[in-house]
Amino acid sequence: MTTATSDDWRPALAPAILLRRDRVRSTDLLVLPERVVVLSGRAGAIVRLCDGGHSVPQIVGELSACFPGAPVATDVPVFLDRLRAEGWLR
Amino acid sequence: MTTPAVPAGSGTSEPEVPRPWALLAELTHACPLHCPYCSNPLELKARSQELATGDWQDLMRQAGDFGVVHTHLSGGEPLLRPDLEEIVTAAESAGIYTQLVTSGTGLDQARLGALTAAGLRSVQLSVQHADPAASDRIAGRRSFAAKERAAALVRAAGLPLGLNVVLHRDNLDALDAIVELGLAWGVDRIELANAQFYGWGLLNRAALLPAHEQLAVARDAVDRWRTRLGGHPDLVWVVPDYFDGVAKPCMGGWGAVSLTVSPDGTVLPCPAAATLPGLDAPNIRDHTLEWIWDRSPAFNRYRGTAWMSDTCRSCSRRDEDFGGCRCQAFALTGDAARTDPACGLSPDHGLVRAFAREGGADGPLPYVYRYPGRAATGQPDREGVSRSGR
């Protein structure tokens, strides 16, 4: 069900899924009705830009500016596709 | 309560005991249904013993600060608490994701609207069978129509909806129809929970235990549906541990992932643990949640592996199933520290094999319905929920 990331996709969290900062565990979480997904590393920073307004190239652009030298252009679209395949992003 | 104020890696250490993720809030033991498989204890807490609104609000604040992410608002029937909205608001304000676990009786448009406005995030609805008359018979009350209406209201409100079906010999054969019911009601998740025998349910074990063939057919049906549905709705199959020879990793380990708060404020590592003798379960009226989780003898009793019998301590699966279920070990052997008899390696496994062989042996057996203070009649009573409870 994974489709190639298209440039006009503006990812947003699926309804009823929350991005939460867990202060106790110092991590970002995706909270679903029956499960919690721990977002390690910079995954939270990526998901935070999935607000339905940013296109994938815009997300890549913002992250590249924040994390110079990181393989953002290759890794971020793959990560977003994985989250879409799980049904967490639309 | 201390929150790490500095990022990890700069000198702070993780808390000694990993913090709980989930809180099962048993807001009341009162319930309009009379299900024979009820896993609540034989001795229910009276409404006069229940925590007050302010107690639950304070508990939610503590839980949020302590790292709890999810709360399941359950019972009994949580809708019987007229202050449910205030408890939802307290959880939401504490940053805790709320799920209502309900029979659906008493959930009308106005109540759901009030709960949604208070911050309710999702709903899990029980159903006893796909056939209305059979569902009502198992519940001991006319309730299917109310459930169907509740499902439609939740969908219309846009909340995620899960269906929860306890499976046993009188509904396993309807597995296909149950999945089709979930599809017709537009649910996101169907939890197919093979009956576990605790509390009241233990009284009905003979009537509820399925035949081995029934389980095999149902399991195949689940596999077929999963392939066909491709993950939506999500089908969750809770294993029948009497039959598999494998102990379940009960609660993800004792005092490891979640905690249960009983209607009277007793805090337990699992909903059935109140039955364990000498546990001396702490009460939230007397202690902070932090002390209860980190320090109380009850929560430390079966943590780690030091308490285990040699069977478990020397086993390669000890960190996967944690020795199985303490409450089941106690119920079947009288010693909560023994290996769960559901495990094929347990010296007591013969007990479970003997029960499993009895499953589905004779024709249908009558249920011992759960009617507090009344004799079982087997007659569904009239529809409608009293908000003041019984």
Side-chain angles (χ1 to χ4, degrees):
Chain A
M1 71 185 266
T2 307
T3 54
T5 308
S6 59
D7 283 358
D8 54 3
W9 178 35
R10 293 172 191 274
L13 280 173
I17 298 182
L18 303 181
L19 175 63
R20 283 264 162 91
R21 181 66 193 168
D22 185 332
R23 289 172 291 114
V24 171
R25 300 176 185 86
S26 302
T27 187
D28 291 311
L29 307 173
L30 281 185
V31 187
L32 289 72
E34 298 281 351
R35 65 191 286 197
V36 176
V37 180
V38 176
L39 297 171
S40 53
R42 287 164 185 156
I46 303 171
V47 175
R48 201 156 281 115
L49 293 170
C50 297
D51 55 7
H54 290 74
S55 68
V56 176
Q58 286 169 332
I59 293 172
V60 168
E62 288 212 16
L63 292 167
S64 298
C66 295
F67 307 108
V72 169
T74 50
D75 290 3
V76 168
V78 173
F79 175 73
L80 293 175
D81 269 343
R82 268 178 50 210
L83 266 55
R84 178 155 66 173
E86 292 283 354
W88 304 335
L89 284 180
R90 292 186 181 175
Chain B
M1 156 66 227
T2 53
T3 305
V6 265
S10 47
T12 51
S13 56
E14 286 292 302
E16 243 177 82
V17 182
R19 298 284 174 86
W21 293 93
L23 165 64
L24 174 64
E26 295 183 336
L27 298 177
T28 179
H29 273 159
C31 185
L33 303 194
H34 311 291
C35 304
Y37 54 74
C38 181
S39 59
N40 279 338
L42 294 181
E43 290 283 327
L44 298 182
K45 301 296 178 192
R47 305 229 54 184
S48 58
Q49 295 172 277
E50 289 179 4
L51 290 180
T53 312
D55 298 328
W56 283 111
Q57 289 170 318
D58 182 60
L59 172 64
M60 291 300 171
R61 273 192 295 276
Q62 288 192 54
D65 284 346
F66 200 56
V68 168
V69 174
H70 262 151
T71 187
H72 302 274
L73 302 165
S74 182
E77 174 51 68
L79 291 169
L80 290 173
R81 290 277 308 212
D83 57 355
L84 181 58
E85 289 81 348
E86 293 165 80
I87 297 168
V88 168
T89 299
E92 176 66 16
S93 307
I96 303 175
Y97 191 104
T98 49
Q99 178 170 71
L100 174 67
V101 182
T102 179
S103 68
T105 48
L107 190 64
D108 58 19
Q109 180 113 42
R111 195 80 203 272
L112 183 62
L115 288 166
T116 310
L120 183 70
R121 298 283 177 180
S122 71
V123 177
Q124 190 187 106
L125 178 67
S126 73
V127 70
Q128 281 66 36
H129 198 291
D131 174 68
S135 185
D136 290 349
R137 187 183 77 81
I138 296 166
R141 181 193 178 95
R142 199 160 296 134
S143 51
F144 186 89
K147 291 168 185 289
E148 189 167 27
R149 281 195 298 275
L153 287 170
V154 173
R155 293 317 303 163
L159 296 188
L161 174 62
L163 202 61
N164 177 3
V165 191
V166 173
L167 296 177
H168 46 81
R169 67 187 274 176
D170 290 343
N171 62 10
L172 269 163
D173 297 339
L175 196 120
D176 285 328
I178 288 169
V179 175
E180 283 161 5
L181 181 79
L183 294 173
W185 288 5
V187 305
D188 302 293
R189 182 176 186 274
I190 305 176
E191 183 172 317
L192 301 161
N194 282 283
Q196 309 207 17
F197 300 104
Y198 301 104
W200 192 269
L202 199 52
L203 297 178
N204 284 292
R205 186 172 57 197
L208 296 172
L209 266 177
H212 208 280
E213 311 81 72
Q214 278 186 290
L215 273 171
V217 170
R219 199 188 304 253
D220 287 349
V222 170
D223 286 342
R224 273 200 312 279
W225 278 109
R226 279 187 176 144
T227 305
R228 183 169 150 195
L229 297 172
H232 195 91
D234 190 14
L235 297 190
V236 179
W237 172 258
V238 179
V239 297
D241 62 353
Y242 269 38
F243 292 86
D244 284 0
V246 176
K248 56 183 179 270
C250 200
M251 304 306 290
W254 183 270
V257 178
S258 68
L259 54 101
T260 296
V261 181
S262 300
D264 69 342
T266 305
V267 188
L268 296 163
C270 97
T275 58
L276 299 182
L279 187 65
D280 192 21
N283 194 294
I284 196 65
R285 299 186 214 246
D286 306 324
H287 300 284
T288 63
L289 192 61
E290 180 172 11
W291 182 87
I292 289 170
W293 182 263
D294 287 343
R295 304 275 164 238
S296 73
F299 272 79
N300 283 293
R301 191 153 157 185
Y302 302 112
R303 276 191 176 132
T305 55
W307 60 272
M308 285 180 173
S309 68
D310 288 342
T311 310
C312 287
R313 207 180 307 135
S314 61
C315 180
S316 61
R317 287 213 307 266
R318 69 185 173 192
D319 296 319
E320 291 162 39
D321 64 23
F322 315 106
C325 172
R326 298 304 88 228
C327 304
Q328 183 149 281
F330 171 70
L332 299 186
T333 75
D335 179 358
R338 284 180 80 77
T339 297
D340 184 343
C343 176
L345 301 172
S346 158
D348 308 308
H349 187 56
L351 292 169
V352 163
R353 300 299 308 157
F355 295 138
R357 274 194 300 274
E358 289 167 15
D362 301 314
L365 298 174
Y367 298 143
V368 184
Y369 284 106
R370 172 147 235 173
Y371 286 94
R374 278 199 281 155
T377 65
Q379 292 300 310
D381 60 14
R382 127 193 108 66
E383 194 172 354
V385 175
S386 156
R387 283 286 288 273
S388 61
R390 49 187 81 230

